[in-house]
């Protein structure tokens, strides 16, 4: 059905509408449902929005109150309707609101009767109540439930009914905090109710299943209200299934007998005389004091002074907040006392206390805002003051202690000015939070300062150790590691002394202080070890550089000239030994002054293997065939024996060429300097050429011819650069000379002809007699001509280029 069907089940006078329910059952075809139906009812204070909730929850059409016409009774008696769109068939009863002013003194009798009827016939009973009424005696229906529990146990057999408490206009108080209060109150009511012997030990869970839900305000948060109601509606689908919302369904009446059963239950309730009705004056006092309380609460909410104070305190602190708010509250409560003075004292005091609680609950957020501003303000001022104290050179611990003491006392003074006379609130939690925030800030600054201090001294150690350690390792010698140890000890002691002095301002415990100093010492040692590892990674380059320096330079650091007199073998051995010294120094970290035999082992195995073989005659084990050194832990090993052997093999291979070049240069120098023939050849020339020599002495003209031929050959030798041509081999030299011989000879003859064609002088002495001196001068001039002629040579591609004359 798309449209809800409804009937007035019981009118305002308590008359049961028999014909109405019969017609209703026919219209909804209830008789056809068998046991597959459920009954839901709702009860609660008048004008609490029960009908509105049912219409939204079950899509019924109960009459709702028009708020613009005033708050008055809308539902009279009990109305019943069918829920739309819910399976199984679900009937809902809208009960007349309790605590209504229209009924007067007799209102509680009917409301208790109707409540008892609802509990008797319903599977689910919705108890509609305002969120701010939780904890109250009347508004939370406690007396009503107490009487209903007692009478129901006497009149009816146990039937487990679901009590679904619907908390309306939920405030910021979490449901998790409201639900335990409701359950505790219900349990107390149950425990206090006198029970028949048959049910003396029966628990509440045997009769009722208590559920609690909360809904937002329909007027202020309509969208949120609709979403929550839609979620609640889902729980009513299949409500009679096992585990559903409708309970255990014990003693359920078939649908065809529902009308007769309901009539009989109402009749028994109407004839019962044991309902406990409160006195008229108490009820009047209760209603009137509640109205006055609500009026004063509404008046306070609209108070301009309070609204202004609430708005300002959300953004900033308000001086004299406690005094101003206390004054506004006192005025509100004084007005209540004035209007409620003639009503019952007990009721008046109870309602006043409830008003105080509502007002304090309303103003508490503003109070918390104020404390928050005080806390944040003192925290910000503490941070600035603390930083200034540290910048002025004040000790860290002293500055922190003084600033904390001052600003915590400031918080105490300012929070005392915020206190409200009516409330017994204290600011201890906010004070604790401020203390935690300050402690956290101090701890963060302390950690940052200590980290900065540690970084500074680590940087100083790095600067003091890295360069010198690298230099000492580069100049590896027997004193390298002792010098490094001495440097490390001196720089560490200096840094530790300064670091300990800087830490004194923090007033830390001795254990923490020693740990930080130990970390600094470990850092210094780590820097040296890291530098040693770094240099060990470049040991091959260092070895080659050292070998090249020692091999190519003499003791005065001058470049060597290989003249043939140097002992290359001895120089090579000395340079390699020095490089081996570098390798032995780099092989391990020696910061603990423990002796080792690394250098000796390397020397025997790599430089003098024959001596090592003679020493180890009985064994043939390679001393470097290992991954560890004797007496050297693995953590201190930089280069293992196997790696040393591999590095030395690579070192020898890459330096072999330098030695070979030196030997070749020495041999070339010897050949260039040894121009005389061997002595035996000289003796043979003298003996065999004696006759020719005597012939030359007898005919001096032969000497002149030989001399001129020598000059010509010498000129051709220089001009053709015989030595340079044969540098690349005999065959290339012969081929090159054969191509240049004829042009060179022609060029030489041309120059001689040019010299002969120069004009002669008229000086009578232009032709001096030929003497030995003039002949010698002539030969010199000819030699100059030959040299000048040799200044130009023709390259293989035909171009001419200048060339310096060769040394004669």
């Amino acid at each position: 059905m798309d449209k809800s069907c409804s009937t007035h089940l019981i009118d305002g006078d308590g008359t049961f509408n028999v014909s109405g329910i019969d017609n209703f059952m026919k219209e909804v075809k209830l008789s056809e449902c068998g046991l597959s139906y459920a009954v839901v009812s709702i009860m609660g204070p008048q004008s609490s929005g029960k009908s509105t909730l049912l219409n939204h929850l079950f899509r019924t059409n109960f009459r709702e109150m028009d708020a613009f016409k005033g708050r008055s009774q809308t539902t009279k008696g009990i109305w019943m309707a069918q829920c739309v769109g819910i399976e199984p068939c679900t009937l809902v009863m809208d009960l007349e609101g309790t605590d209504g002013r229209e009924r007067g003194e007799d209102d509680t009798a009917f409301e208790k009767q109707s409540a008892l009827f609802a509990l008797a016939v319903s599977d689910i009973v919705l108890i509609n109540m305002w969120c701010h009424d939780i904890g109250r005696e009347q508004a939370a229906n406690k007396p009503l439930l107490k009487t209903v529990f007692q009478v129901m146990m006497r009149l009816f057999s146990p039937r487990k009914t679901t009590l679904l408490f619907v908390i309306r206009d939920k405030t910021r108080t979490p449901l998790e905090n409201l639900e335990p209060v409701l359950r505790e109150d219900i349990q107390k009511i149950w425990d206090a109710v006198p029970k028949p012997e048959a049910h003396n030990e029966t628990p509440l869970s045997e009769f009722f299943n208590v559920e609690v839900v909360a809904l937002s305000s329909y007027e202020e948060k309509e969208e949120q209200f609709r979403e929550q109601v839609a979620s609640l509606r889902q729980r009513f689908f299949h409500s009679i299934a096992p585990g559903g919302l409708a309970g255990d369904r014990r003693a359920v009446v078939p649908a065809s007998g529902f009308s007769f059963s309901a009539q009989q239950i109402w009749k028994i309730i109407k004839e019962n005389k044991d309902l406990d009705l409160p006195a008229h004056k108490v009820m009047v006092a209760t209603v009137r004091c509640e109205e006055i309380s609500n009026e004063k609460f509404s008046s306070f909410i609209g108070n301009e002074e309070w609204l202004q104070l609430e708005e300002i305190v959300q953004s900033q602190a308000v001086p004299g907040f406690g005094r101003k708010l206390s004054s506004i509250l006192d005025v509100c409560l004084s007005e209540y006392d004035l209007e409620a003075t003639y009503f019952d004292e007990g009721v008046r005091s109870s309602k006043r206390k409830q008003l105080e609680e509502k007002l304090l609950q309303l103003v508490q957020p503003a109070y918390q805002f104020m404390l928050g501003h005080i806390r944040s303000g003192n925290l910000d001022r503490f941070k600035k003051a603390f930083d200034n104290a540290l910048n002025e050179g004040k000790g860290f611990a002293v500055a922190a202690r003084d600033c904390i003491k001052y600003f915590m006392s400031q918080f105490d003074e300012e929070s005392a000015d915020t206190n409200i006379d009516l409330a017994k609130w204290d600011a201890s939690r906010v004070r604790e939070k401020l203390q935690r925030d300050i402690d956290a800030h101090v701890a963060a600054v302390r950690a940052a300062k200590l980290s900065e201090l540690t970084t500074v001294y680590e940087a100083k150690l790095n600067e003091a150790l890295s360069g010198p350690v690298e230099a000492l390792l580069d100049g590896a010698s027997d004193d390298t590691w002792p010098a490094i140890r001495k440097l490390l000890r001196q720089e560490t002691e200096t840094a530790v002394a300064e670091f300990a002095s800087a830490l004194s301002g923090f007033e830390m415990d001795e254990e923490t202080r020693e740990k930080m100093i130990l970390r600094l010492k470990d850092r210094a040692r780590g820097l040296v070890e890291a530098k040693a590892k770094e240099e060990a990674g470049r040991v091959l380059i260092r070895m080659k550089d050292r070998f090249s320096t020692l091999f190519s330079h003499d003791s005065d650091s001058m470049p060597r000239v290989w003249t043939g007199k140097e002992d290359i073998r001895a120089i090579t051995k000395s340079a390699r030994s020095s490089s081996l010294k570098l390798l032995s120094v780099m092989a391990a970290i020696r910061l603990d002054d423990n002796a080792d035999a690394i250098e000796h082992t390397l020397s025997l195995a790599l430089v003098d293997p024959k001596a090592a073989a003679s020493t180890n005659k009985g064994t043939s084990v390679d001393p470097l065939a290992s991954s560890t050194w004797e007496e050297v832990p693995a953590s201190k090993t930089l280069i293992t024996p196997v790696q040393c052997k591999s590095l030395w093999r690579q070192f020898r291979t890459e330096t072999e060429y330098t030695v070979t070049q030196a030997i070749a240069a020495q041999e070339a120098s010897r050949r260039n300097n040894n121009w005389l023939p061997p002595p035996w050849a000289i003796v043979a020339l003298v003996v065999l050429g004696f006759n020719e020599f005597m012939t030359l002495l007898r005919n001096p003209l032969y000497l002149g011819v030989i001399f001129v031929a020598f000059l010509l050959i010498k000129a051709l030798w220089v001009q053709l650069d015989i030595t340079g041509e044969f540098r690349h081999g005999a065959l290339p030299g012969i081929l090159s000379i054969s191509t240049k011989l004829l042009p060179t000879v022609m060029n030489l003859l041309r120059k001689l002809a040019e010299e002969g064609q120069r004009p002669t002088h008229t000086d009578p002495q232009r032709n001096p007699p030929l003497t030995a001196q003039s002949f010698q001068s002539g030969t010199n001039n000819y030699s100059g001509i030959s040299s000048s002629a040799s200044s130009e040579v023709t390259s293989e591609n035909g171009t001419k280029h200048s060339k310096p004359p060769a040394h004669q």
Side-chain angles (χ1 to χ4, degrees):
M1 297 175 62
D2 296 332
K3 184 177 180 181
S4 175
C5 179
S6 62
T7 184
H8 198 178
L9 184 62
I10 300 173
D11 62 18
D13 298 328
T15 303
F16 195 93
N17 187 4
V18 179
S19 60
I21 191 172
D22 291 338
N23 293 332
F24 174 80
M25 290 180 63
K26 292 178 182 179
E27 187 170 358
V28 301
K29 299 179 181 180
L30 184 63
S31 300
E32 300 176 4
C33 294
L35 298 179
S36 299
Y37 74 101
V39 181
V40 181
S41 60
I42 187 169
M43 66 180 186
Q46 177 180 301
S47 303
S48 61
K50 300 187 301 300
S51 301
T52 302
L53 174 60
L54 294 179
N55 290 340
H56 283 82
L57 185 60
F58 301 114
R59 300 176 186 172
T60 54
N61 55 1
F62 293 119
R63 180 185 174 193
E64 299 179 9
M65 183 191 72
D66 188 354
F68 293 97
K69 296 181 179 181
R71 306 185 70 84
S72 61
Q73 189 178 45
T74 304
T75 302
K76 295 182 180 180
I78 301 176
W79 284 78
M80 175 177 283
Q82 183 189 19
C83 302
V84 177
I86 294 181
E87 293 294 335
C89 179
T90 302
L91 307 179
V92 59
M93 294 191 302
D94 187 10
L95 276 64
E96 178 179 324
T98 63
D99 200 17
R101 64 182 179 85
E102 286 80 4
R103 284 191 175 271
E105 293 183 0
D106 194 42
D107 63 344
T108 56
F110 183 82
E111 71 182 35
K112 292 182 180 181
Q113 291 172 350
S114 60
L116 184 58
F117 175 78
L119 287 168
V121 301
S122 301
D123 299 295
I124 306 167
V125 178
L126 305 179
I127 300 178
N128 199 52
M129 59 188 304
W130 298 110
C131 181
H132 54 259
D133 286 342
I134 295 177
R136 298 178 178 178
E137 191 65 22
Q138 295 296 330
N141 299 310
K142 291 181 181 178
L144 176 62
L145 287 177
K146 181 177 181 180
T147 303
V148 168
F149 286 171
Q150 182 178 358
V151 177
M152 183 178 179
M153 283 192 301
R154 181 167 57 85
L155 296 179
F156 307 103
S157 60
R159 180 188 180 192
K160 196 167 186 178
T161 304
T162 298
L163 295 181
L164 180 59
F165 286 83
V166 182
I167 302 173
R168 303 293 296 277
D169 292 3
K170 179 182 176 297
T171 61
R172 286 177 290 185
T173 304
L175 179 60
E176 293 80 6
N177 296 342
L178 296 174
E179 184 174 351
V181 177
L182 273 177
R183 291 184 179 274
E184 182 180 359
D185 291 344
I186 295 169
Q187 187 63 45
K188 287 181 180 180
I189 296 172
W190 179 260
D191 294 338
V193 168
K195 304 178 182 66
E197 290 184 3
H199 301 297
N200 194 31
E201 299 297 330
T202 304
L204 173 66
S205 58
E206 187 69 17
F207 283 86
F208 301 102
N209 178 29
V210 179
E211 298 281 348
V212 181
V213 296
L215 301 177
S216 300
S217 173
Y218 173 69
E219 296 180 356
E220 298 178 1
K221 302 178 180 178
E222 184 176 354
E223 288 295 327
Q224 190 172 353
F225 172 82
R226 292 179 181 275
E227 292 175 1
Q228 293 168 350
V229 168
S231 176
L232 179 60
R233 176 181 170 86
Q234 297 300 318
R235 300 185 63 181
F236 289 87
F237 285 87
H238 309 292
S239 59
I240 63 174
L245 195 61
D248 60 5
R249 304 279 291 167
R250 286 181 294 179
V252 63
V253 178
S256 58
F258 175 77
S259 173
F260 178 77
S261 174
Q263 295 177 47
Q264 294 301 314
I265 290 175
W266 180 247
K267 180 179 179 181
I268 294 173
I269 292 174
K270 288 289 289 183
E271 293 176 355
N272 179 60
K273 306 300 182 182
D274 294 335
L275 295 177
D276 184 14
L277 302 178
H280 172 71
K281 63 175 184 178
V282 174
M283 291 304 299
V284 172
T286 301
V287 173
R288 185 58 188 142
C289 289
E290 180 71 21
E291 290 178 351
I292 296 172
S293 174
N294 292 336
E295 290 175 2
K296 299 310 170 188
F297 183 75
S298 300
S299 175
F300 181 86
I301 293 177
N303 186 288
E304 289 294 334
E305 189 176 357
W306 154 246
L307 293 175
Q308 184 178 4
L309 187 64
E310 182 185 29
E311 181 181 359
I312 296 175
V313 80
Q314 290 182 3
S315 58
Q316 64 184 34
V318 178
F321 174 83
R323 175 175 47 80
K324 294 178 181 178
L325 187 54
S326 296
S327 175
I328 302 173
L329 291 172
D330 289 342
V331 171
C332 180
L333 293 173
S334 298
E335 293 176 355
Y336 170 84
D337 292 336
L338 183 62
E339 295 187 27
T341 185
Y342 298 107
F343 291 101
D344 182 78
E345 182 179 358
V347 176
R348 183 177 71 243
S349 300
S350 175
K351 296 301 179 183
R352 189 184 196 279
K353 186 176 181 180
Q354 293 176 10
L355 177 60
E356 290 177 1
E357 293 174 353
K358 290 172 62 177
L359 291 173
L360 292 178
Q361 185 178 6
L362 178 66
V363 303
Q364 189 175 23
Y367 173 77
Q368 294 297 331
F369 272 120
M370 187 63 192
L371 289 181
H373 291 314
I374 296 174
R375 182 193 63 80
S376 59
N378 279 281
L379 180 60
D380 292 339
R381 292 193 295 271
F382 166 82
K383 291 179 180 179
K384 293 179 181 178
F386 185 48
D387 291 342
N388 292 335
L390 293 179
N391 293 334
E392 292 172 1
K394 200 171 184 179
F396 185 91
V398 175
R401 190 164 50 247
D402 293 346
C403 290
I404 290 174
K405 181 179 179 181
Y406 174 76
F407 284 100
M408 291 307 295
S409 63
Q410 285 292 106
F411 175 83
D412 292 337
E413 293 177 6
E414 295 176 12
S415 62
D417 184 55
T418 308
N419 289 337
I420 301 172
D421 298 337
L422 186 63
K424 302 300 180 184
W425 299 329
D426 61 35
S428 59
R429 291 188 178 181
V430 182
R431 190 183 194 279
E432 291 173 0
K433 179 170 176 50
L434 174 61
Q435 183 70 59
R436 290 195 301 269
D437 292 343
I438 289 178
D439 291 342
H441 178 72
V442 171
V445 174
R446 184 176 186 270
K449 292 291 183 183
L450 289 176
S451 177
E452 180 182 351
L453 193 63
T454 303
T455 303
V456 169
Y457 281 97
E458 286 180 353
K460 287 184 178 180
L461 282 173
N462 186 40
E463 183 179 358
L465 292 174
S466 294
V469 168
E470 182 177 352
L472 288 171
L473 291 174
D474 186 41
S477 65
D478 293 334
D479 297 331
T480 295
W481 282 108
I484 291 176
R485 289 194 293 269
K486 181 180 180 181
L487 174 67
L488 175 62
R489 183 173 58 256
Q490 291 176 349
E491 295 298 336
T492 302
E493 290 175 354
T494 302
V496 165
E498 296 177 359
F499 186 62
S501 176
L503 291 179
S504 61
F506 290 87
E507 296 182 5
M508 60 180 61
D509 58 277
E510 189 64 24
E511 183 180 358
T512 305
R513 178 178 174 274
E514 289 300 325
K515 285 183 179 179
M516 295 190 68
I517 292 176
L518 181 60
R519 282 198 294 269
L520 185 64
K521 291 180 179 179
D522 292 341
R523 175 62 177 171
R525 191 182 183 94
L527 285 172
V528 175
E529 293 180 354
K531 180 55 68 174
K533 292 178 181 178
E534 180 183 345
E535 293 301 312
R538 299 198 294 261
V539 65
L540 182 60
I541 298 174
R542 298 286 191 188
M543 290 169 65
K544 291 191 294 184
D545 290 345
R546 173 170 287 197
F547 177 84
S548 178
T549 301
L550 295 178
F551 186 80
S552 302
H553 295 78
D554 57 18
S555 58
D556 296 329
S557 300
M558 298 296 293
R560 293 185 189 274
V561 178
W562 303 105
T563 62
K565 299 178 181 179
E566 297 80 12
D567 188 354
I568 293 181
R569 180 181 298 275
I571 295 173
T572 302
K573 185 174 182 180
S574 175
R576 286 178 174 173
S577 298
S578 182
S579 298
L580 185 69
K581 167 69 73 174
L582 178 63
L583 180 62
S584 66
V585 169
M586 294 290 191
I589 298 173
R590 301 175 177 87
L591 294 179
D592 297 327
D593 199 14
N594 295 328
D596 59 67
I598 294 178
E599 182 178 1
H600 180 68
T601 303
L602 290 176
S603 179
L604 290 178
L606 301 178
V607 177
D608 197 3
K610 294 181 179 180
S614 62
T615 303
N616 302 323
K617 292 181 179 180
T619 60
S620 59
V621 178
D622 186 354
L624 298 183
S626 174
S627 60
T628 58
W629 298 103
E630 294 183 3
E631 302 178 354
V632 178
S635 61
K636 304 299 180 184
T637 300
L638 298 178
I639 308 174
T640 63
V642 173
Q643 292 173 338
C644 285
K645 187 173 182 179
S646 176
L647 286 171
W648 185 256
R649 185 184 300 110
Q650 187 176 355
F651 165 75
R652 287 179 63 94
T653 301
E654 295 184 10
T655 57
E656 197 70 35
Y657 178 75
T658 303
V659 178
T660 304
Q661 288 294 100
I663 294 173
Q666 199 176 57
E667 291 295 331
S669 178
R670 287 175 181 173
R671 287 195 300 269
N672 291 336
N673 292 332
N674 192 13
W675 56 275
L676 293 176
W680 62 266
I682 296 174
V683 173
L685 287 174
V686 172
V687 173
L688 297 177
F690 180 77
N691 294 330
E692 288 77 4
F693 181 70
M694 294 303 296
T695 302
L696 291 175
L697 290 178
R698 294 188 185 99
N699 298 291
L701 183 59
Y702 289 160
L703 292 175
V705 173
I706 292 173
F707 184 71
V708 171
F710 169 76
L711 293 178
L712 291 174
I713 293 172
K714 180 67 174 177
L716 287 173
W717 184 278
V718 173
Q719 186 75 11
L720 294 174
D721 190 16
I722 301 299
T723 305
E725 295 295 343
F726 281 91
R727 185 180 298 113
H728 302 292
L731 182 59
I734 293 172
L735 294 176
S736 177
I737 290 173
S738 63
T739 57
K740 295 192 298 182
L741 180 61
L742 183 60
T744 303
V745 172
M746 295 300 296
N747 186 38
L748 186 60
L749 293 176
R750 180 177 56 79
K751 286 189 176 291
L752 290 175
E754 290 176 356
E755 289 292 332
Q757 292 177 2
R758 288 181 180 178
T760 59
H761 296 283
T762 57
D763 189 354
Q765 297 182 357
R766 63 184 180 277
N767 294 319
L770 182 62
T771 62
Q773 184 177 3
S774 62
F775 182 80
Q776 180 67 30
S777 175
T779 58
N780 291 337
N781 291 335
Y782 180 76
S783 176
I785 294 172
S786 301
S787 300
S788 63
S790 65
S791 62
E792 286 187 355
V793 295
T794 304
S795 61
E796 295 180 2
N797 58 4
T799 61
K800 294 183 179 181
H801 59 275
S802 298
K803 187 168 185 174
H807 294 288
Q808 297 184 12

